[in-house]
Amino acid sequence: MADDERLVRLALSRAKDVGDAALLAAVHEHGPWAARERLLAGRDRDDAARVAAELCTRADPVGDLEVGRRLGARFVIPGDDEWPDTLDDLEGVTHVPGRGGVPIGLWVRGPLRLDELVGSVAVVGTRDATAYGALMAEEIAAACADAGRAVVSGGAIGIDYSAHRGAVLAGGRTAAVLACGVDRLYPLQNAPMLSHFVEHSALVSEAPLGHAPRKLRFLVRNRLIAALAAGTVVVEAALRSGALNTAGWANALSRPVMGIPGPVGSGLSAGVNAGIRKGELALVTSGEEVLELVAPMGEALVTERRGPVRVYDDLSPDQMAVLEALPAAQGAPVDRIATNAGHAVATTEAALEELALRGLAVEDLCGWRVG
Amino acid sequence: MADDERLVRLALSRAKDVGDAALLAAVHEHGPWAARERLLAGRDRDDAARVAAELCTRADPVGDLEVGRRLGARFVIPGDDEWPDTLDDLEGVTHVPGRGGVPIGLWVRGPLRLDELVGSVAVVGTRDATAYGALMAEEIAAACADAGRAVVSGGAIGIDYSAHRGAVLAGGRTAAVLACGVDRLYPLQNAPMLSHFVEHSALVSEAPLGHAPRKLRFLVRNRLIAALAAGTVVVEAALRSGALNTAGWANALSRPVMGIPGPVGSGLSAGVNAGIRKGELALVTSGEEVLELVAPMGEALVTERRGPVRVYDDLSPDQMAVLEALPAAQGAPVDRIATNAGHAVATTEAALEELALRGLAVEDLCGWRVG
């Protein structure tokens, strides 16, 4: 029964390109059988409907499952134990025209269960990462891993790579959500890392086996990164960057969206800085601050960063004035210090006493000086 | 008459250290004569009152004016032509305990009139500026100068210096508001610049002639920078920095307060990043963005920074899918492209026509390929 549903969903996943909003809505609202019936019944409406119906009927879901099995991949669908409820929040959410909704199913290649990604943090950014961005991505990811949260990213070079790497080095969980089928280790430069994930973690994709990565598929894939994670951090992004598209999806899902600021001259920080400026991204500077925003209200509160506490921090204005009127080398008599400080002698004496207690003033043969 | 008032105010300015909230409130509410009477009448209350009364009666305002004249300095008071109304907004505003309010008068040394600072921009930051901070301060200041706005800063080394320099090099107006008397060119490293201001611009201070710079006087001075300017920009500031104190005053005055973000690892950007994070500073990345926030609502709107416009920006999802399905080298027949794109032949043909019009697809002997 559940496996029947899996086969129908697999066939439907080949009917249209990934994330077709109308198809996904039909599957989510009416179930896969009814959605399939509608699809086949509407085949004469136009060419596109005919192609979709044909792709659906021609699909070989049993064969797909078999190919998947050989690759160590399974097709996870709503209702499965490991299906994370967080994905259901995608219902009705479209951030790319005509694309969006709860996926029909997700291919998962690797031992990590999808529900282990609940509460995870997405760390995304440019492929052209600078050393600064790479370092920040690794640090944020490691902090999340240390806090027991998985790190989700897109498996790309640059920031994605550093994010995955930070989680792995910290001994945490991480998963790469791909724009192509999980049978493809794309991009080639990251094949060693992606192979490692097949053995120890997971590659995740909505795309049917064999599908190539395409621009639109990246944009549609981004919604899965945003939806699987409890919050999204953009580390470096140019003014038009796929990472900002992920942030847009997270925003549409009302999940926390954060950005690491960078120097103004860096084009690779321009997108993040602009997002912070417009209030679309919350500025964060550490894993601790990310965890605070991702955690339920009131948990994981950040200790506010403060400068060093200085010895004269709690001096009164009077005491401060006297301290500043003290000579550094040779002591001066109280009345001269009082004049310099603009205070009465009595006030000055009281202040000197207090300063002496704190070791800030000392008396010598000529009077008082800095301690 | 006005000169009588000037003399009374000058004497009062020597009664207490700068920015004494009680004295300034008395002068502002009851006028200088009544404030002076109260001061003298209360001399027996305590030592501090006795010292204040004595300093006021011992003062030599005529002598001060004469010394000032020789230095090219004048004592500007409320009611003078060049007194800027913006300073009156300081009434009742205290951001340092016991300090604040409308100044009794301001020493101005140099030809610039105080009212030329109305609508100015304050650019402040750390003395330990990095090359990044110095560059940003200069750029922001130059942009303000180009827009006809004066640049106010504190005459210190680091960010202050770069801000003044940016305004001067752009041929704009700038003034240094000091924590010491305008007879002192402090700090020594900036004496050449400060001398230049005496000839061509202005040094401004609330402190009586001869007064040395002190920690408290810097904090109290900061309110004048914030009040003279229409908005304040913090360029680089450590977590505890005087520049953030200036931002606090500007905030207390409900003037726009802005910050330039910086890399997370730089301790000199930590104060600014933290201020942006807490919503105390608006993130800005250019003079243009500063001017937008400082200008009256709706004027000087920034053209939103955008990435490069790409030739396929306004393609439909169908056209994009077809474009991505096109071979790069040798053309392919329409039906194969349609299959790759997941579209019907008719849709694919329509998309190819549109792509060809834009030069994105070309037909060759074998079919269609990327243009």
Side-chain angles (χ1 to χ4, degrees), chain A residues 18-332:
Chain A
V18 287
D20 181 276
L23 177 61
L24 269 53
V27 174
H28 189 76
E29 282 165 36
H30 309 293
W33 286 277
R36 183 173 183 275
E37 243 166 78
R38 283 174 178 227
L39 190 80
L40 301 183
R43 66 193 326 153
D44 296 327
R45 206 173 53 243
D46 57 26
D47 276 351
R50 192 179 47 75
V51 171
E54 208 153 310
L55 286 169
C56 185
T57 47
R58 273 199 213 157
D60 174 15
V62 174
D64 276 349
L65 283 180
E66 180 49 34
V67 172
R69 195 157 21 240
R70 269 183 266 135
L71 294 165
R74 61 198 181 277
F75 189 66
V76 181
I77 62 173
D80 281 342
D81 269 2
E82 66 173 291
W83 182 264
D85 292 344
T86 46
L87 287 174
D88 298 331
D89 294 345
L90 283 167
E91 186 186 347
V93 175
T94 55
H95 179 67
V96 169
R99 304 283 159 172
V102 182
I104 299 172
L106 288 181
W107 281 100
V108 182
R109 185 179 179 194
L112 189 86
R113 286 165 56 101
L114 272 190
D115 55 2
E116 292 186 70
L117 299 179
V118 172
S120 63
V121 174
V123 179
V124 297
T126 180
R127 287 187 301 267
D128 309 320
T130 67
Y132 167 62
L135 179 69
M136 289 308 303
E138 224 177 284
E139 281 188 6
I140 300 282
C144 293
D146 282 341
R149 292 178 183 272
V151 172
V152 174
S153 195
I157 59 171
I159 296 300
D160 286 13
Y161 176 80
S162 296
H164 289 304
R165 178 183 150 92
V168 169
L169 292 183
R173 286 160 297 157
T174 186
V177 185
L178 306 181
C180 54
V182 293
D183 52 322
R184 296 193 169 213
L185 302 184
Y186 177 91
L188 196 61
Q189 299 101 303
N190 281 357
M193 178 182 80
L194 298 172
S195 302
H196 178 87
F197 287 2
V198 169
E199 295 302 317
H200 304 285
S201 178
L203 307 180
V204 178
S205 179
E206 182 181 22
L209 298 178
H211 274 215
R214 285 191 195 151
K215 187 182 167 68
L216 183 67
R217 288 180 188 156
F218 281 106
L219 298 178
V220 175
R221 178 277 313 261
N222 291 342
R223 90 187 191 290
L224 301 176
I225 294 179
L228 285 167
T232 296
V233 185
V234 184
V235 175
E236 276 188 321
L239 280 170
R240 298 181 50 146
S241 159
L244 295 175
N245 172 263
T246 309
W249 282 109
N251 202 36
L253 285 161
S254 304
R255 305 266 169 89
V257 204
M258 297 152 272
I260 306 282
V264 168
S266 165
L268 292 171
S269 282
V272 179
N273 287 341
I276 295 170
R277 176 169 173 261
K278 289 185 278 179
E280 293 166 359
L281 303 175
L283 185 150
V284 289
T285 62
S286 66
E288 212 185 358
E289 290 173 5
V290 169
L291 291 166
E292 182 189 43
L293 287 177
V294 167
M297 192 78 82
E299 282 178 31
L301 289 180
V302 165
T303 324
E304 198 174 308
R305 292 191 65 191
R306 297 187 64 89
V309 176
R310 291 169 192 153
V311 66
Y312 43 80
D313 266 353
D314 50 349
L315 294 184
S316 71
D318 288 355
Q319 290 162 354
M320 186 68 79
V322 170
L323 176 62
E324 291 182 333
L326 282 179
Q330 198 179 33

Side-chain angles (χ1 to χ4, degrees), chain A residues 47 51 132 214-215 239-240 260 263-264 273 276-278 283 285 289 292 304 307-308 313 324 340 344 346, chain B residues 47 51 132 214-215 239-240 260 263-264 273 276-278 283 285 289 292 304 307 313 324 340 344 346:
Chain A
D47 276 351
V51 171
Y132 167 62
R214 285 191 195 151
K215 187 182 167 68
L239 280 170
R240 298 181 50 146
I260 306 282
V264 168
N273 287 341
I276 295 170
R277 176 169 173 261
K278 289 185 278 179
L283 185 150
T285 62
E289 290 173 5
E292 182 189 43
E304 198 174 308
D313 266 353
E324 291 182 333
N340 283 339
Chain B
D47 275 351
V51 171
Y132 167 61
R214 284 189 195 152
K215 186 181 167 68
L239 280 169
R240 298 180 50 145
I260 306 280
V264 168
N273 287 341
I276 295 170
R277 176 168 173 260
K278 288 185 278 179
L283 185 151
T285 62
E289 290 173 3
E292 181 188 42
E304 198 174 306
D313 266 352
E324 291 181 334
N340 283 340

Side-chain angles (χ1 to χ4, degrees), chain B residues 5-333:
Chain B
E5 178 170 348
R6 201 176 313 280
L7 296 176
V8 180
R9 284 183 176 266
L10 260 174
L12 283 168
S13 77
R14 286 201 177 268
K16 299 258 193 177
D17 207 341
V18 287
D20 182 277
L23 177 61
L24 269 53
V27 174
H28 190 75
E29 282 165 36
H30 309 295
W33 286 277
R36 182 173 183 276
E37 244 168 76
R38 281 173 177 229
L39 190 80
L40 301 182
R43 65 192 327 152
D44 297 327
R45 206 172 53 242
D46 56 27
D47 275 351
R50 191 179 49 75
V51 171
E54 209 153 307
L55 287 169
C56 184
T57 48
R58 273 199 212 157
D60 174 15
V62 174
D64 276 348
L65 283 181
E66 180 50 33
V67 173
R69 194 155 24 241
R70 270 183 267 134
L71 294 165
R74 60 197 183 278
F75 189 66
V76 181
I77 62 173
D80 282 343
D81 269 0
E82 66 173 292
W83 182 264
D85 292 345
T86 46
L87 287 173
D88 298 331
D89 293 346
L90 283 167
E91 186 186 348
V93 175
T94 56
H95 179 67
V96 169
R99 304 283 159 172
V102 182
I104 299 173
L106 289 181
W107 282 100
V108 183
R109 185 179 179 194
L112 189 85
R113 285 167 56 103
L114 271 191
D115 56 1
E116 292 186 71
L117 299 179
V118 171
S120 62
V121 173
V123 179
V124 297
T126 180
R127 287 187 301 270
D128 308 320
T130 67
Y132 167 61
L135 179 69
M136 288 308 304
E138 227 178 281
E139 281 187 6
I140 300 282
C144 293
D146 281 341
R149 291 178 183 272
V151 172
V152 174
S153 194
I157 58 171
I159 296 299
D160 286 14
Y161 177 80
S162 296
H164 289 304
R165 178 183 150 91
V168 169
L169 292 184
R173 287 160 297 157
T174 185
V177 185
L178 306 181
C180 55
V182 292
D183 52 323
R184 295 193 168 211
L185 302 185
Y186 177 90
L188 196 60
Q189 299 102 302
N190 282 357
M193 177 183 80
L194 298 172
S195 302
H196 178 87
F197 287 1
V198 169
E199 296 303 317
H200 303 284
S201 177
L203 307 180
V204 178
S205 179
E206 181 180 22
L209 297 178
H211 273 215
R214 284 189 195 152
K215 186 181 167 68
L216 183 67
R217 288 179 187 157
F218 281 105
L219 298 179
V220 175
R221 179 277 314 260
N222 291 342
R223 89 187 192 291
L224 301 176
I225 294 179
L228 285 167
T232 296
V233 185
V234 184
V235 175
E236 277 187 321
L239 280 169
R240 298 180 50 145
S241 159
L244 294 175
N245 172 263
T246 309
W249 281 109
N251 201 35
L253 285 161
S254 304
R255 305 266 170 88
V257 205
M258 297 151 274
I260 306 280
V264 168
S266 164
L268 292 171
S269 282
V272 180
N273 287 341
I276 295 170
R277 176 168 173 260
K278 288 185 278 179
E280 293 165 1
L281 303 175
L283 185 151
V284 288
T285 62
S286 67
E288 212 186 358
E289 290 173 3
V290 169
L291 292 166
E292 181 188 42
L293 287 177
V294 167
M297 192 78 79
E299 283 178 32
L301 289 181
V302 164
T303 325
E304 198 174 306
R305 291 190 67 192
R306 298 187 64 89
V309 176
R310 292 170 192 153
V311 67
Y312 44 80
D313 266 352
D314 50 350
L315 294 185
S316 70
D318 288 354
Q319 290 161 357
M320 187 68 79
V322 170
L323 177 62
E324 291 181 334
L326 282 180
Q330 200 181 30

